[in-house]
Amino acid sequence: MPKNRRTSRGKSRISSNFSAQHLLINKQLSKDMIDMAKITPNDTVIDIGAGKGAITFPLAKRAARVIAVENDPVFAEKLLDKMQGVANIRMNRQDFLQFNLPKSPFSVVANIPFSITTPILGKLLDDPAVPLQRAVLIMEKGAAKRFTSVRITNPRILKWRMWFDLRLVRTVSPDHFSPPPKVESAIVTIFRKQSPLVPLQAHARFMALATYILQQPQAPVFAALQGVFTPSQIKHVVKALRLERNQAVSSLNEQQWGQLFHSMLQYVDPSRWPKVPKKKMPKIPRAKAPKMPKPKMPKPKMPKISKPRMLKKPKQKK
């Protein structure tokens, strides 16, 4: 559910990514989204930005457990009131980006906040070990088109699509929301691939390769692969993947990226592989030793030394 920015005068300033709170009001659309997600009576499902519960309560009729995440205190309070007597809904009043995802398989059906669309997808998809199975999300149409574009120019989006199928399935008109936004929205479905081409433990290595090759997404394949593959290896790769020598590297599909990655592992000397960035470990502050009071040493008393008396010279007789 998109949030709003306020100007210094207190008025809402609406933009495509920071629109006002647009609550889903079309009940049929909520039902359609749940159908798209193929929710079963055994599923755990998260509703991100639950609002007044337009998706939360229909989900509760289909799923085993529903987790409603809502950061707005007003909507959270209303949800809690409406939840009375509904045993399979759990309310979490917090920012979804701070929310701890389930460690067991789960799905997501939500009308997500437009202002944090990419961070939300990053939280769900950056680490393929996160047990997300399916997701059906309403988001801004521009973002939906970017995530599902045939040409892949962003290594992060490419990595998501190596483990998940992302599809823009439907445009949603503004009249499905209250108040209606000034931009079109879209429904994106996300389904985990049954047989991903890259093994789970190699996702960081794949990301390193994708980041290196997609530095210039419009570069021809032959030029983009230099630095990792030797000229003779590039010839074999281009032939095996049925590519044109001058074809833009951003035009490779997920299948071709998977083959390219395995070719690197099999034929390229490891010294030429793009380096995987090291994870930054949090700094552990050193425990400061307690300050010990300095012992007061008594000052030694020095004996007083009396000054020697000067002898007076005897007076001479005249």
Side-chain angles (χ1 to χ4, degrees), residues 110-231:
N111 171 29
I112 64 175
F114 289 1
S115 60
I116 53 171
T117 296
T118 299
I120 286 174
L121 265 69
K123 185 177 179 73
L124 295 172
L125 306 178
D126 276 349
D127 184 355
V130 169
L132 174 70
Q133 302 303 305
R134 303 177 300 281
V136 177
L137 307 175
I138 292 179
M139 63 181 69
E140 186 183 1
K141 189 175 182 179
K145 291 171 71 174
R146 187 168 68 253
F147 298 145
T148 59
S149 172
V150 174
R151 284 186 176 269
I152 308 173
T153 60
N154 185 302
R156 188 183 191 188
I157 295 174
L158 170 61
K159 182 184 164 187
W160 296 347
R161 288 167 58 170
M162 295 306 294
W163 277 273
F164 295 90
D165 288 315
L166 279 71
R167 299 282 183 270
L168 193 166
V169 297
R170 178 174 169 182
T171 297
V172 181
S173 63
D175 59 8
H176 287 73
F177 306 90
S178 176
K182 290 189 176 181
V183 295
E184 282 191 319
S185 305
I187 296 176
V188 172
T189 60
I190 302 172
F191 284 77
R192 180 175 287 274
K193 292 180 185 287
Q194 295 298 317
S195 302
L197 297 171
V198 178
L200 190 65
Q201 64 273 19
H203 76 92
R205 177 71 62 193
F206 176 83
M207 184 63 175
L209 176 67
T211 301
Y212 181 88
I213 292 179
L214 285 174
Q215 292 180 77
Q216 297 181 352
Q218 304 310 321
V221 170
F222 196 91
L225 299 186
Q226 289 179 353
V228 178
F229 295 84
T230 64

Side-chain angles (χ1 to χ4, degrees), residues 25-26 32 61 75 104 122 125 131 153 163 190 198 207 257-258 263 267 277 282:
I25 58 174
N26 188 300
D32 291 346
K61 296 177 180 179
F75 288 136
S104 56
L125 306 178
T153 60
W163 277 273
I190 302 172
V198 178
M207 184 63 175
W257 274 104
S263 295
Y267 300 112

Side-chain angles (χ1 to χ4, degrees), residues 12 26 39 47 75 86 98 109 120 130 151 169 227 249 265 271 281 296-297 299:
S12 299
N26 188 300
I39 301 303
D47 182 4
F75 288 136
V86 185
Q98 306 301 320
V109 181
I120 286 174
V130 169
R151 284 186 176 269
V169 297
V249 72
L265 297 181
S271 64
M281 299 298 291
K296 293 183 178 181
M297 300 296 291
K299 293 183 179 179

Side-chain angles (χ1 to χ4, degrees), residues 281-289:
M281 299 298 291
K283 291 183 179 180
I284 301 174
R286 294 181 180 179
K288 293 183 179 180

